[in-house]
Amino acid sequence: MKDERLFRLYKLHKVDARLIDIKNRAEHLDLGKKEAAFAKKLQEENADALARHKDLKSEIEELKVKNEQTEGKIAKFNKDLYDGTIVSAKEVENLQKEIAMLEDLAISNALRIEELENELAPLSQSVKTVMAQVEELKKRIVKKRADAEVLHKELQAAFKETGAQRGPLESEVEPELITVYNQVRKKTGGTGMALVTEAKRCAACGIDIPEKVRDAIQSGRTQQCESCRRILFIHKEAEE
Ligand SMILES: [Zn+2]
């Protein structure tokens, strides 16, 4: 015997279940959080190497700038020395001393640069690998977020479309049933109806449904699950 009353409520329940499913999916979109956490972990694990790499690079850069300035000064002083503008022996001597000092400085800077570059080379390799991994992860995050945005729009549209079916279906169910249904909906955050499974359990909370309750449902009486209070429905009976 097909219970038309409950079957009309069942149609509303199915729409509500779909709405809940759409909402859940929208709330659990993959925004690349796993990738972001992994990128963070990689950067944290390699924090020392990354920091040392950065320091070395800036130190080398600074020394190179200094050396360019030193070389510039040496060139200028040499020019002054040989173009005949300086004639005093004392001045010549001072300038030569200055040039010798600058040359020493240039050499020690060059040695220091070499030393730092030797330390930098192997570090650069591992930093490059880490940064490439991080970049790859970032790309994946961007892709996932773009996909999630598209999916979110689709879900929004589906929610709107499915939601529009509610009103007409609800108006076909008797008010007493709707009242109970909505109370349970409010309480559970799910729908207000549950099927009785083939194993004779409530499909929503899993509790066993006693035979007398099943008999009552089949004889057309409204029965609520003892545990979750959902209105019980035997689907197979309804479709026969
Ligand atoms: Zn239940």
Side-chain angles (χ1 to χ4, degrees):
M1 183 190 82
K2 184 166 171 171
D3 186 342
E4 278 298 339
R5 268 169 80 241
L6 284 183
F7 192 67
R8 284 193 292 269
L9 182 65
Y10 175 67
K11 284 196 269 184
L12 180 65
H13 150 85
K14 285 228 288 200
V15 164
D16 283 339
R18 257 206 311 278
L19 288 173
I20 291 165
D21 176 57
I22 293 168
K23 203 167 147 254
N24 278 338
R25 284 170 63 200
E27 280 167 7
H28 295 95
L29 288 172
D30 187 356
L31 297 171
K33 276 186 191 161
K34 244 197 263 172
E35 284 80 0
F38 187 45
K40 196 174 164 227
K41 189 168 162 258
L42 265 179
Q43 282 170 304
E44 278 169 3
E45 279 171 358
N46 294 281
D48 289 346
L50 290 169
R52 184 67 188 140
H53 182 260
K54 199 177 157 210
D55 288 348
L56 282 171
K57 273 183 88 169
S58 70
E59 203 180 332
I60 290 169
E61 212 40 57
E62 237 172 76
L63 283 169
K64 281 185 175 170
V65 170
K66 265 191 203 161
N67 247 13
E68 264 171 42
Q69 289 166 345
T70 308
E71 298 289 355
K73 270 189 200 168
I74 292 171
K76 185 186 177 296
F77 291 164
N78 273 322
K79 190 170 165 284
D80 291 349
L81 201 56
Y82 298 110
D83 71 359
T85 47
I86 294 161
V87 286
S88 138
K90 185 73 189 156
E91 270 184 302
V92 168
E93 197 195 327
N94 281 345
L95 209 50
Q96 277 171 337
K97 268 192 202 161
E98 183 78 9
I99 289 168
M101 210 188 72
L102 289 170
E103 279 172 345
D104 280 350
L105 181 66
I107 287 167
S108 79
N109 273 349
L111 287 173
R112 179 72 185 137
I113 289 172
E114 203 186 314
E115 200 183 325
L116 295 174
E117 277 177 341
N118 283 338
E119 190 188 338
L120 184 69
L123 206 55
S124 285
Q125 205 47 50
S126 61
V127 164
K128 212 175 133 189
T129 311
V130 171
M131 291 321 286
Q133 279 176 295
V134 170
E135 276 315 302
E136 181 53 39
L137 288 165
K138 280 184 181 166
K139 266 190 222 161
R140 267 194 264 166
I141 294 168
V142 168
K143 168 92 172 66
K144 281 197 166 176
R145 292 204 174 151
D147 289 350
E149 210 174 303
V150 172
L151 190 54
H152 189 256
K153 278 193 187 134
E154 287 171 6
L155 290 171
Q156 263 182 327
F159 192 86
K160 209 176 150 193
E161 199 190 312
T162 309
Q165 299 167 14
R166 264 203 112 252
L169 289 176
E170 189 172 8
S171 67
E172 282 175 28
V173 183
E174 32 179 284
E176 300 77 50
L177 269 179
I178 281 295
T179 305
V180 178
Y181 180 82
N182 282 338
Q183 277 169 356
V184 181
R185 239 169 32 114
K186 216 169 157 185
K187 196 178 131 241
T188 61
T191 87
M193 181 179 246
L195 292 178
V196 177
T197 66
E198 269 182 50
K200 300 169 181 56
R201 291 171 189 276
C202 166
C205 73
I207 201 176
D208 283 327
I209 306 298
E211 198 181 349
K212 66 172 176 13
V213 176
R214 282 182 273 124
D215 287 346
I217 300 168
Q218 273 161 26
S219 64
R221 290 206 302 276
T222 305
Q223 297 289 308
Q224 285 174 266
C225 170
E226 235 178 82
S227 165
C228 70
R229 307 303 297 156
R230 286 180 174 89
I231 298 165
L232 293 167
F233 185 49
I234 300 173
H235 191 200
K236 267 197 173 161
E237 299 293 326
E239 286 192 336
E240 267 168 19

